[in-house]
Amino acid sequence: LGLAATSLASSAAHQPVAAAPTHAVATPASTHAATPSVAPLTPLVECFEKGTFTDYRGAMNHTALGDTCQAWSSQTPHSHAFTAVTHPGQGLEDGNFCRKPSGAHLACAWCYTTREKPSWGCCMVGEPAPVGTCAGAGAAL
């Protein structure tokens, strides 16, 4: 992840910034032109209890490297067998959210990306909550 993150950071530094992060720290004025900065991607904290991520049903829709997730109902740009028909009740019905469908031998919630490469990526969905604390949000799965 170190090399990929470095590559992402260096390419991201050349991207326009939509808005300054709310946690920005003021820096002294400089004679050089301002270089846009990109706020780091932060995990979206949502309630799930299984360390296997199979009960994650949150709204995270990008990988840890910032790639947008492909909708599970789409077969482009990546064709796959993980659909709502083949994996009912596993959160693949709507959207392009990170999931961990059965049969996926990854140690993370993940998704296919909308880019050719990488074709998939793990998502930073946070850590599971203690069992019994999600009030049914994902505990029954």
Side-chain angles (χ1 to χ4, degrees), residues 7-53:
S7 173
L8 176 66
S10 64
S11 65
H14 301 288
Q15 300 298 319
V17 177
T22 57
H23 61 279
V25 177
T27 56
S30 169
T31 57
H32 300 294
T35 302
S37 63
V38 175
L41 298 175
T42 55
L44 182 63
V45 179
E46 297 171 318
C47 203
F48 63 100
E49 297 177 357
K50 296 180 181 176
T52 59
F53 300 98

Side-chain angles (χ1 to χ4, degrees), residues 12 23 28 33 41 47 51 61-62 70 73 85 88 97 106 110 114 116 122 136:
H23 61 279
L41 298 175
C47 203
N61 65 356
H62 62 273
Q70 171 182 316
S73 60
V85 173
F97 306 116
L106 300 170
W110 63 281
T114 56
E116 185 177 328
C122 287

Side-chain angles (χ1 to χ4, degrees), residues 2-126:
L3 181 57
T6 302
S7 173
L8 176 66
S10 64
S11 65
H14 301 288
Q15 300 298 319
V17 177
T22 57
H23 61 279
V25 177
T27 56
S30 169
T31 57
H32 300 294
T35 302
S37 63
V38 175
L41 298 175
T42 55
L44 182 63
V45 179
E46 297 171 318
C47 203
F48 63 100
E49 297 177 357
K50 296 180 181 176
T52 59
F53 300 98
T54 55
D55 63 334
Y56 176 74
R57 296 294 183 272
M60 177 68 70
N61 65 356
H62 62 273
T63 68
L65 293 178
D67 292 318
T68 300
C69 293
Q70 171 182 316
W72 294 98
S73 60
S74 176
Q75 293 294 318
T76 57
H78 308 289
S79 60
H80 58 89
F82 297 101
T83 68
V85 173
T86 60
H87 294 75
Q90 295 187 29
L92 308 181
E93 296 78 17
D94 297 315
N96 62 334
F97 306 116
C98 301
R99 296 291 183 257
K100 172 77 182 294
S102 62
H105 301 290
L106 300 170
C108 60
W110 63 281
C111 67
Y112 289 102
T113 71
T114 56
R115 297 186 328 148
E116 185 177 328
K117 291 188 180 183
S119 61
W120 65 272
C122 287
C123 304
M124 293 174 48
V125 298

